[in-house]
Amino acid sequence: MSKKKESPEINASSLADIAFLLLIFFLVATTMSTDTGLARMLPPILPNTNDDVPPIKERNVFQVMLNYKNQLLVEGEWCEIGQLKDKAKEFIANPKDEATLPEKAETEIPLIGNYMVSKGVISLQNDRGSQYQAYLQVQNELQAAYNELRDELAKTKFHHAYADCTDEEQDAIKKVYPQRISEAEPKDYKKK
């Protein structure tokens, strides 16, 4: 009589538990790549009204256009991307109260007091054929203009950088320099 050798059995009952724990560990410990985009807060949806909206005065609008060749037209004049930030800062702040730049209205702002706040709006329009990188450069320059103005005001009023301000101080500064960028529907300038 020949005896078969019995192979020893491996207890695999806890193998599924270990695999599950490893799966959970890697899900928790791994970072997932997320899509990035432009941080913009959209205005709330308003009820549809037929009220006449008062027209915006031309002096209160800073027009920026990017064509399909990635050329920049600012206030009807050709402009290099490196000049955009300074032009936008001058428009937003209107430091000399020039008649060709935006109107200002005196506003009571907590922590700051009465301050002349600009009514200016930056209108950005691009061609459908413009490159995304050029569009982002324009957006970055406009954002940099607001950031620099806010930082300058923070240093003047609160004696530290805007990034170091409390939430209340940042809110007050945002009321002085509210970010008003209107993005129009892209157009096909090439076809015209």
Side-chain angles (χ1 to χ4, degrees):
M1 176 165 146
S2 83
K3 231 177 173 187
K4 264 190 179 178
K5 244 183 175 181
E6 289 186 26
S7 62
E9 290 184 19
I10 298 175
N11 185 3
S13 62
S14 64
L15 190 61
D17 293 338
I18 293 171
F20 182 72
L21 288 173
L22 284 173
L23 177 66
I24 296 294
F25 171 76
F26 285 114
L27 285 174
V28 171
T30 305
T31 59
M32 301 290 177
S33 65
T34 58
D35 291 335
T36 57
L38 299 173
R40 295 284 183 256
M41 181 175 284
L42 298 175
I45 297 174
L46 298 175
N48 203 1
T49 61
N50 293 332
D51 298 339
D52 289 333
V53 178
I56 296 176
K57 293 183 181 178
E58 191 173 318
R59 73 180 269 193
N60 292 338
V61 179
F62 184 72
Q63 293 184 348
V64 179
M65 294 184 196
L66 183 67
N67 70 12
Y68 69 97
K69 293 181 180 177
N70 300 320
Q71 296 168 324
L72 199 56
L73 191 67
V74 177
E75 290 291 292
E77 297 178 6
W78 296 109
C79 177
E80 294 295 321
I81 191 74
Q83 301 169 319
L84 179 60
K85 178 181 66 176
D86 292 332
K87 288 184 179 218
K89 279 178 66 174
E90 183 182 355
F91 172 82
I92 296 163
N94 189 5
K96 298 176 186 169
D97 286 329
E98 294 181 30
T100 58
L101 295 177
E103 300 170 296
K104 292 181 173 183
E106 189 172 345
T107 307
E108 173 68 32
I109 298 175
L111 303 177
I112 293 177
N114 287 340
Y115 205 89
M116 297 300 286
V117 177
S118 171
K119 294 181 179 182
V121 175
I122 296 176
S123 174
L124 173 61
Q125 189 168 32
N126 66 298
D127 185 90
R128 291 186 198 283
S130 59
Q131 292 179 345
Y132 189 66
Q133 186 62 35
Y135 174 76
L136 285 179
Q137 284 181 321
V138 170
Q139 283 281 353
N140 287 341
E141 291 298 310
L142 294 175
Q143 184 65 49
Y146 280 104
N147 290 345
E148 283 186 15
L149 286 170
R150 289 173 176 174
D151 200 49
E152 291 166 7
L153 183 62
K155 288 176 182 174
T156 302
K157 294 290 182 180
F158 305 119
H159 309 291
H160 49 261
Y162 178 75
D164 298 330
C165 288
T166 65
D167 290 341
E168 293 82 19
E169 291 170 340
Q170 285 186 358
D171 288 342
I173 292 170
K174 285 179 184 176
K175 287 180 183 173
V176 172
Y177 294 121
Q179 185 171 321
R180 295 183 185 128
I181 300 175
S182 170
E183 295 188 50
E185 184 72 26
K187 296 214 173 172
D188 290 321
Y189 294 114
K190 198 177 350 182
K191 294 179 182 177
K192 291 184 178 178

